[in-house]
Amino acid sequence: MADPNAVPFFDDDEPPTPRPSGIAARAMAGVMQARTGAAGNYLEGLNPEQREAVETTEGPLLVLAGAGTGKTRVLTTRIAHILATGRARPSEILAVTFTNKAAREMKNRVASLVGDVAEGMPWLGTFHSIGTKILRRHAELAELKSSFTILDTDDQIRLLKQILSAENIDEKRWPARSLAWAIDGWKNRGLAPKDVPPGDGAAIANGRGKDLYALYQERLKTLNASDFGDLLLEPIRIFREHPDVLEQYHRRFRYMLVDEYQDTNVAQYLWLRLLAQGPRNLCCVGDDDQSIYGWRGAEVDNILRFEKDFPGAKVIRLERNYRSDAHILGAASHLIAHNEGRLGKTLRPQGEDGEKVTVTGSWDSGEEARSIADEIETVHRKGGQLNDIAILVRASFQMREFEDRFVNLGIDYRVVGGPRFYERQEIRDALAYLRCVNSASDDLAFERIVNVPKRGLGDVTVQALQRFARSTRIPLLQAAQEMADTSEFKPKPREALKTLTQNFARWTKASEEMKHTELAEMVLDESGYTEMWRQDRSADASGRLENLKELVRSMDGFENLQGFLEHVSLVMDTESGANDDKVTLMTLHAAKGLEYDVVFLPGWEEGLFPHQRSLDESGRAGLEEERRLAYVGLTRAKKRAKIYFASNRRIHGMWQSSLPSRFLDELPNKHVEVTEAPAAFSNRGFGESRFDRLEPFQASTYNTPGWQRAQARKDSGFAEPRAGGFNRRGGPVVIEGELVAKSTANAASYVVGERVFHDKFGYGEVIEVEGNKLMVAFEKADTKRVIDSFVKRV
DNA sequence: GATCCATTTGTTTTT
DNA sequence: CAAATGGATC
């Protein structure tokens, strides 16, 4: 696309027409009904709450949709309803999701409800794709051309490294990675360089964090580039500084829908709030109990304070769970009840009790993998589909053991969320070539491939090119072209540059008449890139060549090179069409939104799950997020949820003993079954993990059965009988209490006289406060000492 | 400019 | 224990 201004940003750029009303609306609805046949029935089969959520079209609405309560169904039906009743045209609905997968699914499901009309929903997409669309349209207001490129993380880091070295900052002490992380964080919080609080940048590069951020932004503009954060941040700035632009969108978006609202960060929130200032028909769907991306900037607060932000908001709770059997749901609900600051939902099972959640201990991670694999074989032999089985792990290193085992046993498996296709080295290299052909000024892409394959163009040459390019304000490729004609370089690099630039000139010319797939093949061959991998005798070289072929094949579905490149930068996942029967192996994070008949949950050990780092870095909030992760894991299961923990696990190559996760203690007895009295208990002591780090040898003295029994008795006065006697950790109250105390430093504490509610003991009054421990006089029980996080204010 | 060894550093991940 | 960086060497 030669002239970027010719890109049709709005599918219907005619001036806004008066909205169809009265007869027109009814006629329109009639048309749709006639076209789709089934359209009139879309409301059937919804339960009363779902139906209310669909039909409450006007005004702000928060739908609290617990796991498995038909959230996507509500969203899609709501869109169908708005369309079918003629309240808005497809192009007047803004519907945002986080992932491309969710967007795709929503599009498909709306289409199946109302027919092809959904194809014309130009504003259904991810935050980032919609942000891109807006930014391209108003690029000039952000000092960009509408053809700007979108940087991936690799480019971002490379750019930051350049800035750091230009500023003479020791990259060893202040790695580009952490600067990138900080900038990302600021962008997530909606902060431009000037808004960064002084204290924030201080911890980075001797207080130069803020400057560096500003420099980075400057460089982005000159490169005509934007990173992921800018795709949201720049529209926010444009909306704020140009009310007329914002108003255009107010007129356009009559209805707004947001999926997974609990995952929004501050920037996304601001973006939404600006847009929702117009027609206040904003519908957010989410589940505070499934917020697991806090570490990435998501603010559970956004969902917790929805009613405050949007006065008059209606809140509808979806609590009927159609997914899991009662035992699974009971276990999950009880677990998550240990979290504070929830909006609170009670998931109600719709089906039968089903099987209890099982908890199995094993000696080490190998045994754990073996018993899970055996179990899977059994299920499979009995005719169960492997597709209905998933193993959900906390950290990806846990996957290896399962993979090994599956390979041995010949069980087919797939790993979800491994290294993504577009993130592979060979794919990024190939894309860099194409980016250069597509836009001669894509300096970052050029830098990536100047010397890949090796052409003898190293640091020295590239630096010279950069100096020249910067001083004359021309792109690197052009600089290369011009310098190749001078005697600046020695003959060898000069020749290499000449060949390269001539190649690019030829390719760019060819791109005008050639089909883009053929062009890609030509570029990759003539540049010597494919040859490079053919020469490579390492094991994965042939796989990489295969990937390159796959890349070219996947380009087929696109109009042109430009369209394909845009897709790649925003859509990092590739549709894996494999429909064979395989066990799914993935992280808990990747599992959100999915469901399986049988779910295996290995690795429930202190330190791994909840993850130590989460506890260290985010304290109580971290613990609660881990707990939500456990909740997400359990609620993926329809029929069977099976939890495992091992007493020994190899971490960083060293065997370490581990204790069962505290989450196991938080499972209710009546929904849980301990399948084996694990060797784990007789070998591992109580209260060990916290002490053995300080006094490694003392720990072993605690390993005698007698000591353990003593500890178990000591523990028995507290709380309910624990699941299967998992009363590890002698005096867990104190130990846990201190642990929590450390992390709760700034959590709101209780005051004497406050009325509180405790899950087990009922209502009571606080009579003493000591740190995070409370003495509470319960109405229906004695006075007990409890941890503040176990009670709620009334 | 390229290659080899030593040192480091190990969650979760979309766009 | 391994991968992935980075620095020192050829």
Side-chain angles (χ1 to χ4, degrees):
Chain A
M1 226 159 284
D3 175 13
N5 294 317
V7 180
F9 295 108
F10 288 82
D11 299 19
D12 46 358
D13 241 336
E14 83 277 9
T17 49
R19 41 196 280 71
S21 61
I23 294 169
R26 258 171 279 141
M28 203 165 160
V31 167
M32 274 182 211
Q33 204 154 351
R35 196 186 297 164
T36 62
N41 307 327
Y42 60 84
L43 289 174
E44 271 172 31
L46 295 178
N47 67 37
E49 304 87 67
Q50 292 175 328
R51 186 162 178 151
E52 196 188 356
V54 167
E55 293 185 321
T56 310
T57 53
E58 313 303 306
L61 171 69
L62 175 64
V63 180
L64 286 173
T69 55
K71 166 188 72 124
T72 312
R73 180 150 187 220
V74 165
L75 271 174
T76 51
T77 313
R78 188 180 161 91
I79 294 175
H81 183 64
I82 290 169
L83 291 173
T85 52
R87 286 182 160 81
R89 292 175 299 171
S91 62
E92 293 171 331
I93 299 176
L94 172 72
V96 274
T97 63
F98 276 84
T99 64
N100 292 291
K101 203 168 123 203
R104 222 180 297 130
E105 192 190 341
M106 206 186 285
K107 210 162 236 184
N108 290 338
R109 286 177 66 169
V110 173
S112 75
L113 284 173
V114 295
D116 297 337
V117 194
E119 281 305 313
M121 286 199 55
W123 300 100
L124 191 166
T126 62
F127 274 102
H128 295 271
S129 68
I130 289 167
T132 309
K133 208 164 168 175
I134 293 174
L135 188 53
R136 286 215 193 279
R137 179 150 175 88
H138 310 285
E140 73 291 349
L141 299 178
E143 298 170 72
L144 292 169
K145 285 181 273 172
S146 72
S147 59
F148 66 83
T149 51
I150 300 166
L151 301 191
D152 59 36
T153 12
D154 259 25
D155 296 329
Q156 214 180 336
I157 301 274
R158 233 154 350 109
L159 186 53
L160 285 170
K161 277 188 179 163
Q162 287 174 21
I163 293 172
L164 285 173
S165 79
E167 294 297 304
N168 280 321
I169 291 169
D170 183 9
E171 227 230 285
K172 260 173 90 183
R173 281 196 66 195
W174 314 105
R177 292 201 139 275
S178 40
L179 180 57
W181 177 255
I183 291 179
D184 245 32
W186 288 322
K187 289 190 172 179
N188 283 156
R189 282 154 56 200
L191 302 173
K194 64 175 168 46
D195 306 321
V196 174
D200 252 37
I204 296 156
N206 297 324
R208 302 210 42 215
K210 204 170 161 165
D211 303 354
L212 293 170
Y213 178 16
L215 284 169
Y216 169 71
Q217 288 305 104
E218 229 171 80
R219 285 289 293 145
L220 286 182
K221 302 300 177 201
T222 52
L223 287 166
N224 189 31
S226 139
D227 65 12
F228 285 121
D230 284 348
L231 296 178
L232 285 165
L233 213 49
E234 293 291 4
I236 291 174
R237 213 190 62 207
I238 293 170
F239 289 159
R240 281 179 175 157
E241 292 172 6
H242 304 271
D244 53 313
V245 173
L246 178 58
E247 214 214 316
Q248 273 178 42
Y249 290 93
H250 284 165
R251 260 180 279 133
R252 172 166 302 271
F253 300 142
R254 297 188 182 287
Y255 293 92
M256 290 174 279
L257 297 92
V258 186
D259 191 15
E260 307 276 18
Y261 187 63
Q262 77 282 353
D263 286 338
T264 49
N265 59 35
V266 173
Q268 285 154 343
Y269 163 80
L270 292 171
W271 187 87
L272 282 170
R273 207 178 56 178
L274 282 163
L275 287 170
Q277 279 166 3
R280 296 173 68 249
N281 303 323
L282 172 68
C283 169
C284 295
V285 180
D287 180 359
D288 48 318
D289 291 333
Q290 290 187 67
S291 161
I292 54 176
Y293 286 107
W295 52 275
R296 210 167 68 187
E299 287 280 339
V300 210
D301 264 16
N302 288 348
I303 197 167
L304 298 179
R305 49 156 211 252
F306 185 86
E307 291 173 87
K308 255 185 241 150
D309 289 330
F310 301 98
K314 188 164 180 177
V315 179
I316 296 174
R317 287 180 157 76
L318 303 182
E319 300 180 307
R320 300 187 208 205
N321 176 295
Y322 298 96
R323 179 187 296 151
S324 312
D325 285 343
H327 276 312
I328 295 170
L329 217 52
S333 301
H334 193 269
L335 174 73
I336 199 66
H338 289 78
N339 271 5
E340 262 192 3
R342 304 170 60 217
L343 286 169
K345 287 182 288 350
T346 319
L347 284 187
R348 290 193 302 276
Q350 299 299 298
E352 53 219 78
D353 282 356
E355 291 176 35
K356 286 190 175 185
V357 174
T358 66
V359 175
T360 310
S362 34
W363 170 245
D364 63 16
S365 46
E367 191 182 302
E368 178 185 74
R370 251 172 281 135
S371 41
I372 291 179
D374 289 352
E375 184 85 19
I376 290 173
E377 268 199 318
T378 312
V379 173
H380 197 207
R381 251 202 318 277
K382 286 186 188 157
Q385 291 278 302
L386 295 180
N387 273 332
D388 296 329
I389 304 172
I391 302 177
L392 310 182
V393 296
R394 172 67 246 261
S396 37
F397 77 84
Q398 291 173 263
M399 292 185 188
R400 248 190 87 163
E401 229 145 356
F402 291 102
E403 293 192 58
D404 289 351
R405 197 75 205 131
F406 291 156
V407 170
N408 268 334
L409 295 176
I411 298 175
D412 286 330
Y413 69 92
R414 81 171 64 86
V415 173
V416 173
R420 260 165 289 285
F421 185 71
Y422 291 124
E423 276 173 10
R424 291 161 202 225
Q425 183 195 340
E426 66 277 16
I427 300 301
R428 290 196 141 157
D429 288 342
L431 287 171
Y433 272 103
L434 297 175
R435 275 162 63 188
C436 281
V437 173
N438 180 244
S439 156
S441 58
D442 196 331
D443 283 2
L444 289 162
F446 181 77
E447 276 170 49
R448 184 178 179 107
I449 48 84
V450 247
N451 205 27
V452 181
K454 306 246 181 299
R455 325 189 148 83
L457 297 170
D459 261 7
V460 180
T461 316
V462 175
Q463 301 249 321
L465 283 176
Q466 257 161 357
R467 264 199 309 280
F468 178 58
R470 204 165 303 176
S471 63
T472 45
R473 308 181 142 266
I474 56 171
L476 278 177
L477 183 55
Q478 196 188 333
Q481 224 159 41
E482 290 177 17
M483 286 183 85
D485 285 333
T486 69
S487 43
E488 182 70 33
F489 297 121
K490 297 201 180 99
K492 235 176 154 185
R494 197 194 305 159
E495 278 314 302
L497 275 181
K498 214 171 235 173
T499 319
L500 186 65
T501 52
Q502 280 167 359
N503 274 341
F504 270 113
R506 200 173 64 253
W507 296 329
T508 308
K509 193 142 174 286
S511 71
E512 282 159 27
E513 53 232 31
M514 233 171 163
K515 205 169 164 265
H516 58 292
T517 46
E518 287 167 27
L519 175 78
E521 279 175 353
M522 182 175 102
V523 171
L524 294 178
D525 281 338
E526 292 186 3
S527 62
Y529 192 71
T530 42
E531 187 57 27
M532 177 182 101
W533 287 117
R534 244 177 253 129
Q535 297 294 317
D536 192 314
R537 280 191 310 276
S538 60
D540 48 355
S542 69
R544 292 179 195 268
L545 284 165
E546 210 33 64
N547 288 338
L548 289 172
K549 281 200 192 118
E550 176 60 36
L551 177 74
V552 175
R553 237 175 287 141
S554 71
M555 291 173 70
D556 226 358
F558 293 85
E559 274 290 293
N560 51 35
L561 190 55
Q562 167 115 41
F564 174 71
L565 291 174
E566 167 111 5
H567 165 85
V568 168
S569 49
L570 289 174
V571 183
M572 295 299 278
D573 64 342
T574 38
E575 192 87 51
S576 56
N579 275 346
D580 342 338
D581 193 29
K582 289 176 173 168
V583 176
T584 306
L585 188 52
M586 64 185 148
T587 62
L588 286 159
H589 283 91
K592 194 166 67 154
L594 304 176
E595 58 178 32
Y596 295 88
D597 281 346
V598 187
V599 170
F600 292 93
L601 300 161
W604 284 41
E605 296 133 37
E606 283 295 301
L608 176 59
F609 192 36
H611 201 283
Q612 193 57 48
R613 200 134 152 189
S614 206
L615 264 31
D616 291 347
E617 280 169 19
S618 318
R620 156 90 140 277
L623 173 63
E624 296 210 341
E625 183 154 312
E626 296 283 304
R627 195 179 279 117
R628 290 194 289 269
L629 205 45
Y631 173 77
V632 167
L634 278 169
T635 53
R636 298 309 96 195
K638 292 200 265 190
K639 300 284 168 206
R640 297 165 75 195
K642 302 178 80 58
I643 300 172
Y644 293 76
F645 68 89
S647 303
N648 293 288
R649 190 173 291 277
R650 208 160 46 167
I651 296 180
H652 309 335
M654 293 233 284
W655 282 100
Q656 298 211 304
S657 62
S658 46
L659 293 166
S661 168
R662 70 188 72 185
F663 296 152
L664 293 173
D665 291 349
E666 298 173 359
L667 296 173
N669 232 353
K670 64 175 177 183
H671 298 302
V672 175
E673 177 194 349
V674 180
T675 57
E676 282 156 50
F681 287 121
S682 50
N683 282 296
R684 280 293 135 214
F686 290 73
E688 184 184 353
S689 75
R690 264 170 208 69
F691 298 125
D692 59 3
R693 225 159 286 149
L694 304 170
E695 304 191 11
F697 297 110
Q698 203 186 344
S700 59
T701 55
Y702 294 148
N703 283 342
T704 62
W707 170 263
Q708 288 171 36
R709 250 176 280 129
Q711 294 299 303
R713 268 196 299 279
K714 211 159 112 191
D715 182 38
S716 63
F718 183 73
E720 72 164 16
R722 279 133 198 270
F726 284 131
N727 30 16
R728 66 178 160 90
R729 253 185 262 129
V733 187
V734 177
I735 293 173
E736 201 169 75
E738 271 160 16
L739 181 80
V740 176
K742 260 185 209 154
S743 53
T744 338
N746 46 8
S749 194
Y750 291 80
V751 290
V752 173
E754 251 185 309
R755 208 171 125 77
V756 293
F757 178 78
H758 188 283
D759 269 340
K760 319 265 151 32
F761 307 128
Y763 292 96
E765 189 187 315
V766 178
I767 54 173
E768 196 187 309
V769 181
E770 188 194 324
N772 68 326
K773 276 156 277 172
L774 311 173
M775 199 67 97
V776 179
F778 288 101
E779 292 165 12
K780 302 240 165 86
D782 301 329
T783 295
K784 311 248 181 205
R785 201 173 166 74
V786 296
I787 297 175
D788 61 1
S789 58
F790 285 77
V791 301
K792 284 195 228 51
R793 283 201 173 80
V794 202

